[in-house]
Amino acid sequence: GQEMEKSREQAVLMFFYSSFISIPARFAISFIVDYTRFRLRYVLMMLAATIACYTLGLAWFNTTAGWIVTIIGFGLSGGTWGVLGNVTFPRYFGRKHLGAISGVCMSVLVIASAIGPAYFSYGKLILGSYRNAALSTLVLPVIIFILAFFTRNPQETKRADNEKD
């Protein structure tokens, strides 16, 4: 926030305001996923798009529009992430090995959470600012968005293969 000319209070308020978006978004997306045939790949695409939005907002956090886009994108991505984290593994892989799958996922999240701050520190050192470091991460949500088109539920693939036999 300091690099983007925002006070500590303004930076922290971003998290507070985004919670007013994240909580209703999580309920709405959960309802849609549970009570319709809405495919999780579209939720993943939404997550990637909202991450890209808040990353762009973060790059221009010093402007009012950037601050607002960061709040909205961060809130929507938080609500979307919560649904994907709870629904994907049982739906795609069943419940038999859910604990092991969740454990591996949590390990990856912890490692990624440690890499993120280091990346931004080195990004600032090499690229000259946190803005440039943030913009350099935009490639990841774009790749995830594109790859989401090709995701398929393994349970549905298995059923389709069994029906052919």
Side-chain angles (χ1 to χ4, degrees):
Q2 187 176 25
E3 181 181 308
M4 296 291 180
E5 302 165 1
K6 294 287 184 191
S7 69
R8 177 175 286 182
E9 291 77 20
Q10 289 172 310
V12 170
L13 277 175
M14 189 250 344
F15 295 104
F16 177 72
Y17 292 143
S18 68
S19 68
F20 289 101
I21 296 168
S22 180
I23 294 167
R26 186 169 183 166
F27 279 112
I29 296 167
S30 294
F31 181 83
I32 291 167
V33 167
D34 282 348
Y35 295 103
T36 68
R37 295 200 175 269
F38 198 77
R39 303 231 179 242
L40 291 178
R41 82 177 101 181
Y42 301 124
V43 179
L44 179 59
M45 292 167 75
M46 181 180 169
L47 175 64
T50 57
I51 288 172
C53 283
Y54 88 70
T55 301
L56 283 170
L58 190 61
W60 284 275
F61 196 61
N62 58 325
T63 67
T64 302
W67 192 66
I68 291 169
V69 168
T70 303
I71 291 168
I72 293 169
F74 192 72
L76 289 173
S77 68
T80 307
W81 174 259
V83 173
L84 278 177
N86 290 325
V87 175
T88 303
F89 300 126
R91 188 181 284 188
Y92 274 40
F93 305 109
R95 295 182 184 154
K96 185 175 182 182
H97 301 290
L98 189 56
I101 293 168
S102 295
V104 169
C105 181
M106 187 56 65
S107 297
V108 170
L109 287 172
V110 168
I111 291 167
S113 295
I115 291 171
Y119 177 83
F120 273 83
S121 293
Y122 285 116
K124 181 177 184 201
L125 182 69
I126 294 166
L127 300 173
S129 72
Y130 289 117
R131 171 181 286 151
N132 294 334
L135 289 172
S136 73
T137 65
L138 276 172
V139 69
L140 294 174
V142 170
I143 290 170
I144 291 169
F145 187 88
I146 292 167
L147 291 177
F149 280 107
F150 304 103
T151 61
R152 298 291 180 263
N153 186 330
Q155 301 299 324
E156 291 175 6
T157 306
K158 187 189 302 184
R159 278 191 293 260
D161 289 343
N162 289 338
E163 289 173 4
K164 289 179 186 176
D165 294 337

